[in-house]
Amino acid sequence: RNGIGPGNTNVRPGHIIQLDATVVELLPKGACRVELKNGHRLVAFAGRRARPWADELACGDRVTVEVTLYDFSSGRLQSKLNQLEQVTL
């Protein structure tokens, strides 16, 4: 699977964007609900690389989420912004 979220397996790399978001709700199995700067909320899933730090997320943490241009209802957790990046944003 090279797509984002369950079921999206045919996504081209040029059709993926990275967005900064804030964690608003923790969900089971490494998923969380995040809110973008414009107020849109989506479910972000933790991929294999994100699993170790995704379990340590808390509400209010800032993260980077990959989202396809085709589906803005789900995305993949890409990275967690550290405290210095959170202050400057």
Side-chain angles (χ1 to χ4, degrees), residues 6 32 35-36 41 52 57 65 69 78 85 87:
C32 61
E35 183 173 351
L36 303 177
R41 290 186 177 198
L57 285 176
V65 180
L69 296 176
Q78 188 64 23
E85 291 173 331
V87 172

Side-chain angles (χ1 to χ4, degrees), residues 11-32:
V11 178
R12 295 182 183 164
H15 297 183
I16 296 173
I17 55 175
Q18 291 188 351
L19 302 168
D20 291 340
T22 304
V23 176
V24 294
E25 181 183 358
L26 298 174
L27 302 171
K29 298 184 180 179
C32 61

Side-chain angles (χ1 to χ4, degrees), residues 31-71:
C32 61
R33 190 171 315 277
V34 298
E35 183 173 351
L36 303 177
K37 291 180 182 180
N38 64 1
H40 180 74
R41 290 186 177 198
L42 58 104
V43 176
F45 298 92
R48 277 188 232 148
R49 291 187 316 199
R51 286 285 163 127
W53 56 264
D55 293 335
E56 302 171 359
L57 285 176
C59 291
D61 284 349
R62 305 262 312 149
V63 293
T64 302
V65 180
E66 281 187 349
V67 181
T68 68
L69 296 176
Y70 306 114
D71 182 15

